[in-house]
Amino acid sequence: MSMEARVGAKCGRWNPTVEQVKVLTDLFSSGLRTPTTDQIQMISTHLSAFGKIESKNVFYWFQNHKARERHHKKRRRGPPDDVDGDGAGDGDHHKPRTRCFPAGRAKDKQEVFWQRPEIKETTETLELFPLKSSISEEEKVIAVRGELCGRTLYLDATGRDHPPLDLRLSFNYVE
Amino acid sequence: MSMEARVGAKCGRWNPTVEQVKVLTDLFSSGLRTPTTDQIQMISTHLSAFGKIESKNVFYWFQNHKARERHHKKRRRGPPDDVDGDGAGDGDHHKPRTRCFPAGRAKDKQEVFWQRPEIKETTETLELFPLKSSISEEEKVIAVRGELCGRTLYLDATGRDHPPLDLRLSFNYVE
DNA sequence: GCAAATTAATGATTTATTCAAG
DNA sequence: CTTGAATAAATCATTAATTTGC
């Protein structure tokens, strides 16, 4: 007698039957990741044929399965050009609580900065960036650091081994 | 010699080198979307180490990249958001912020859909799914078909030979 | 063999982010 | 700049596996 999805006992939480898991897994492997409300309800309805189940169980199942698939299949070498915008590619890094977005509204009318002959008072700002004006071919690496983010990105455009350039961008972080 | 960002020839318009694109892309993926004037100038200055470039090129690059990321997203909607596995594969794709539902935040009252006693106007949707309400033990097989995918999955949860249930899920596939 | 103790899975919640609309 | 929609990530919490002492 399997202890499967249970009859009358303590049902603190949903305990899927093997059939239910099988179907969910197949759906997942067929590409379904984030089912819509309707899909969830249908899946739930039909899985109820195998045992007690609620829509939310289906929802959670997909959430968890998707998330865990990711974290479990981690670490595979190679050039992980994870240009993924949200950086969610690899569960490791995610913005703490600070956002990295400046607010450069550069173009109102003709105020596009590069068309403007004048130089704004960027004095203070520039001081924040100890830029090197002369960089050799061997130094084509740029380290961008979001100060408040506390992390440093070493962007090696050449893919070779070079010392960082130390270009620091002062992202405007928002609390 | 790569034809990259050009030497002396026809430079009608900026033609970024792979290094430049790499750096810009990395900056973008690290969260930078709308660089300030100062940031643009710095980026430009340093990218000039890889080839001819002007500040406006950087400005436009971010404008375009941001806008295109958005438009790309708008096309892809629906559940199977990340068919490529862990979402780290493709360069620029986030999750479609459109539709789909039950938020992870269930704490607000009882607004979670599965707790809602009411039935939404799923009339039209339901019609798409000729569900059988009574299925015998011998029919515990569910055939799920992704309409747009053109393929049908026969999910036999029992492992035995049974006729499909014909539960059709209308997946929203990404082209 | 069995059940308490411990650990591994995984269901359920909470929290943080992101894009976009207002 | 603010807020809404919609997750994904992180975390909490239970249940099933398993290990261990008897």
Side-chain angles (χ1 to χ4, degrees):
Chain A
M1 224 64 35
S2 65
M3 285 267 294
E4 302 253 290
R6 280 7 131 10
V7 272
K10 64 291 293 307
C11 294
R13 74 180 194 186
W14 173 56
N15 210 12
T17 65
V18 293
E19 293 88 4
Q20 292 173 329
V21 171
K22 176 71 166 51
V23 173
L24 291 170
T25 299
D26 284 339
L27 285 171
F28 187 89
S29 63
S30 77
L32 188 61
R33 289 292 182 285
T34 309
T36 63
T37 299
D38 294 328
Q39 293 178 323
I40 288 176
Q41 292 194 316
M42 275 182 292
I43 295 170
S44 177
T45 295
H46 290 279
L47 286 187
S48 67
F50 301 110
K52 186 168 176 294
I53 189 175
E54 291 175 72
S55 295
K56 68 176 183 180
N57 300 138
V58 175
F59 172 75
Y60 288 142
W61 191 91
F62 277 95
Q63 287 266 186
N64 286 319
H65 204 68
K66 181 167 51 176
R68 283 161 184 157
E69 177 201 51
R70 260 191 266 205
H71 292 176
H72 280 176
K73 79 155 47 163
K74 60 175 41 176
R75 284 326 158 207
R76 55 186 13 162
R77 73 296 190 270
D81 45 311
D82 182 359
V83 189
D84 188 349
D86 64 23
D90 198 348
D92 215 346
H93 63 287
H94 59 278
K95 283 91 181 183
R97 202 181 198 326
T98 49
R99 286 172 196 155
C100 312
F101 292 91
R105 218 17 3 67
K107 55 180 254 183
D108 271 347
K109 309 201 183 269
Q110 305 178 319
E111 299 191 331
V112 189
F113 82 99
W114 59 78
Q115 298 182 325
R116 189 169 33 173
E118 296 300 331
I119 298 177
K120 326 184 306 184
E121 59 285 69
T122 54
T123 314
E124 186 175 18
T125 303
L126 290 178
E127 294 181 342
L128 296 172
F129 311 100
L131 306 178
K132 294 179 181 178
S133 54
S134 60
I135 44 180
S136 66
E137 280 297 309
E138 294 304 298
E139 291 178 325
K140 287 183 177 176
V141 177
I142 297 178
V144 178
R145 181 177 183 188
E147 296 294 351
L148 297 182
C149 259
R151 63 205 174 83
T152 301
L153 267 181
Y154 287 89
L155 310 178
D156 185 344
T158 65
R160 285 171 293 172
D161 182 43
H162 298 309
L165 203 191
D166 196 28
L167 189 198
R168 297 203 189 89
L169 295 179
S170 67
F171 292 177
N172 293 315
Y173 294 89
V174 179
E175 275 282 289
Chain B
M1 279 314 138
S2 62
M3 286 260 297
E4 304 252 287
R6 51 340 269 350
V7 269
K10 67 289 292 305
C11 293
R13 70 180 195 183
W14 175 54
N15 207 12
T17 65
V18 294
E19 293 87 7
Q20 292 173 330
V21 171
K22 176 71 165 53
V23 173
L24 291 171
T25 300
D26 284 339
L27 285 171
F28 188 88
S29 65
S30 78
L32 187 61
R33 287 293 181 288
T34 309
T36 62
T37 298
D38 296 328
Q39 293 178 323
I40 288 176
Q41 292 193 317
M42 275 182 291
I43 294 170
S44 177
T45 296
H46 289 279
L47 286 186
S48 66
F50 301 110
K52 188 167 175 295
I53 189 174
E54 292 175 70
S55 295
K56 68 176 183 181
N57 300 138
V58 175
F59 172 77
Y60 286 141
W61 190 91
F62 277 94
Q63 282 280 194
N64 289 322
H65 204 69
K66 181 168 53 178
R68 282 160 190 156
E69 179 199 50
R70 260 201 295 270
H71 290 165
H72 264 209
K73 269 188 258 208
K74 285 199 167 179
R75 280 204 203 133
R76 11 176 98 187
R77 43 188 47 216
D81 50 311
D82 197 356
V83 185
D84 80 84
D86 69 346
D90 194 352
D92 57 302
H93 75 281
H94 281 175
K95 304 308 185 260
R97 246 71 211 191
T98 48
R99 74 144 75 139
C100 287
F101 51 83
R105 43 187 302 90
K107 57 189 175 185
D108 285 335
K109 317 280 184 181
Q110 311 172 319
E111 304 186 322
V112 190
F113 87 101
W114 57 74
Q115 297 183 325
R116 189 171 34 174
E118 295 302 330
I119 298 177
K120 324 183 307 182
E121 58 286 71
T122 52
T123 314
E124 187 174 17
T125 303
L126 290 178
E127 293 181 342
L128 296 173
F129 313 99
L131 307 177
K132 295 179 181 178
S133 56
S134 60
I135 44 180
S136 66
E137 280 296 311
E138 296 303 297
E139 293 178 324
K140 286 183 178 176
V141 177
I142 296 178
V144 179
R145 181 177 183 190
E147 296 294 351
L148 299 182
C149 255
R151 61 209 173 83
T152 300
L153 265 182
Y154 287 90
L155 310 179
D156 184 345
T158 65
R160 287 170 292 173
D161 181 45
H162 299 310
L165 203 190
D166 197 28
L167 189 197
R168 297 201 189 90
L169 295 180
S170 65
F171 293 177
N172 292 314
Y173 289 91
V174 178
E175 57 177 283

